[in-house]
């Protein structure tokens, strides 16, 4: 039975630390919480997944699953596992959060850094969405229109119109996230007739391993904003680029 909680089933990729872990923590504490909270993590046995393991012990709706977005076999295995758990239910919310930032100015960047960034930040989210499409389509059929959502965690550093020449060069990061933004546009166009939304979201500059300690926002603040934005998304936001306050960003 559908409850007031619009997100009955959620998958967050890269959920063992940073924004992914905080998204799970706040979603688990939502009232009412999602019935299924799938925590994708590339190595659930590693010490880096300890905080996630502890969170999953506290909340019985959290299911930790191995999901390496660079490994297409791992993506499909995770999708098969989730299909078994969901049975006839759908997946309401997919947050493609996993990402890498290897930094790098022109004199530092290599073809390997470029290709690895593209694989994790653009190809991975696209292939994850493809693998979970049957579950997303089921959710869209079972729910009101445009309550099934794919969020691609992007960055203002990918914006061409709002290019900040004072911030890090980060060729691989900027270019791979710009590619991710086009993934958002293509998915938004293709999935709209099925009632599924797809949006790129910039979480702000946040204190995580990636954001560093000089960042002005805490994980808690950023994720509180993101979850508020998610609750208000509608058809008009399909294929758009928003920040954690819901403000529209230029491509
Ligand atoms: N923090 C910021 O200021 C900021 C700003 C703009 C956008 N973002 C975006 O927000 C998202 C989350 O960032 P964050 O700050 O939380 O970063 P983070 O602290 O570096 O965490 C990144 C997460 O992604 C996971 N990951 C990396 N490669 C993966 C792969 N191949 N498969 C599965 N998981 C993988 C990491 O897992 P491991 O522990 O296994 O490495 C980790 O859980 C990213 O997409 C990032 O680009 C962040």
């Amino acid at each position: 039975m559908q409850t007031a909680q619009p997100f009955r089933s959620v998958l967050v990729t890269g959920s063992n630390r940073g924004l992914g872990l905080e998204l799970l923590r706040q979603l688990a504490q939502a009232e009412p919480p999602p019935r299924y909270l799938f925590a994708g993590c590339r190595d659930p046995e590693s010490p880096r997944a300890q905080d996630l393991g502890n969170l999953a012990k506290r909340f019985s709706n959290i299911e930790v699953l191995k999901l390496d977005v660079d490994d297409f076999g791992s993506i499909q295995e995770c999708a098969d596992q989730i299909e078994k758990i969901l049975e006839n239910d759908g997946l309401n919310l997919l947050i493609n959060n996993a990402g890498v930032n290897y930094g790098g100015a022109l004199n530092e960047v290599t073809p390997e850094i470029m290709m690895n960034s593209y694989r994790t930040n653009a190809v991975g989210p696209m292939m994850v969405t493809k693998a979970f499409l049957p579950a997303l389509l089921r959710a869209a059929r079972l729910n009101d229109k445009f309550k099934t959502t794919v969020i691609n965690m992007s960055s203002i550093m990918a914006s061409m119109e709002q290019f900040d020449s004072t911030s890090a060069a980060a060729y691989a990061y900027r270019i791979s996230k710009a590619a991710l933004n086009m993934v958002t546009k293509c998915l938004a166009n293709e999935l709209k007739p099925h009632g599924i939304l797809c949006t790129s979201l910039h979480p702000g500059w946040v204190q995580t391993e990636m954001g560093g300690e000089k960042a002005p926002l805490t994980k808690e603040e950023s994720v509180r904003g993101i979850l508020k934005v998610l609750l208000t998304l509608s058809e008009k936001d399909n294929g758009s680029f928003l920040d954690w306050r819901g403000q529209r960003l230029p491509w």
Side-chain angles (χ1 to χ4, degrees):
M1 200 182 75
Q2 192 64 35
T3 65
Q5 162 62 254
F7 303 120
R8 181 175 157 83
S9 48
V10 182
L11 167 62
V12 182
T13 69
S15 67
N16 57 302
R17 60 187 169 94
L19 289 166
L21 184 63
E22 185 58 27
L23 278 162
L24 272 189
R25 197 190 312 277
Q26 291 193 24
L27 279 164
Q29 287 165 1
E31 205 39 70
R35 178 162 178 200
Y36 305 101
L37 263 174
F38 299 112
C41 167
R42 70 171 140 180
D43 188 1
E45 305 306 323
S46 112
R48 289 174 83 77
Q50 204 177 341
D51 291 346
L52 173 59
N54 292 339
L55 188 70
K57 279 188 200 136
R58 283 179 49 212
F59 295 97
S60 60
N61 53 346
I62 296 183
E63 185 82 39
V64 179
L65 295 155
K66 182 172 167 53
L67 175 55
D68 180 344
V69 306
D70 289 349
D71 173 350
F72 307 134
S74 152
I75 295 174
Q76 195 51 56
E77 265 172 41
C78 180
D80 293 345
Q81 277 176 290
I82 289 182
E83 276 293 332
K84 277 196 197 128
I85 297 170
L86 286 174
E87 295 182 343
N88 296 324
D89 235 326
L91 182 69
N92 298 112
L93 175 61
L94 164 60
I95 306 184
N96 282 311
N97 165 75
V100 287
N101 182 356
Y102 300 121
L106 188 57
N107 62 347
E108 294 159 339
V109 77
T110 63
E112 289 70 33
I113 291 176
M114 287 301 300
M115 298 312 285
N116 290 340
S117 303
Y118 185 64
R119 192 179 174 98
T120 310
N121 291 348
V123 182
M126 195 180 95
M127 299 312 289
V128 169
T129 309
K130 183 176 171 180
F132 283 92
L133 197 54
L136 291 164
L137 287 169
R138 242 182 0 258
R141 277 197 302 271
L142 294 169
N143 275 296
D144 298 343
K145 266 198 135 195
F146 302 115
K147 289 292 173 207
T148 300
T149 306
V150 177
I151 294 296
N152 289 329
M153 268 312 192
S154 184
S155 168
I156 189 62
M157 288 179 78
S159 176
M160 298 192 202
E161 290 173 68
Q162 198 173 305
F163 189 89
D164 179 0
S165 54
T166 61
S167 75
Y171 275 73
Y173 187 66
R174 287 179 186 272
I175 293 169
S176 59
K177 290 288 187 182
L180 175 66
N181 282 347
M182 184 52 90
V183 171
T184 297
K185 277 288 190 191
C186 294
L187 287 172
N189 184 51
E190 182 163 351
L191 302 183
K192 185 178 172 182
H194 301 284
I196 300 174
L197 294 176
C198 185
T199 301
S200 274
L201 213 139
H202 166 57
W205 181 18
V206 191
Q207 292 157 18
T208 62
E209 275 184 47
M210 188 184 291
E213 38 188 55
K214 287 196 187 132
L217 277 177
T218 64
K219 285 176 283 198
E220 293 77 11
E221 289 166 328
S222 167
V223 167
R224 256 199 308 278
I226 291 171
L227 294 182
K228 246 190 227 163
V229 172
L230 292 188
L231 288 175
T232 63
L233 286 183
S234 67
E235 192 178 354
K236 70 177 181 354
D237 303 305
N238 191 38
S240 64
F241 188 13
L242 303 177
D243 73 7
W244 81 105
R245 297 162 298 194
Q247 288 178 3
R248 206 166 269 255
L249 299 175
W251 295 107

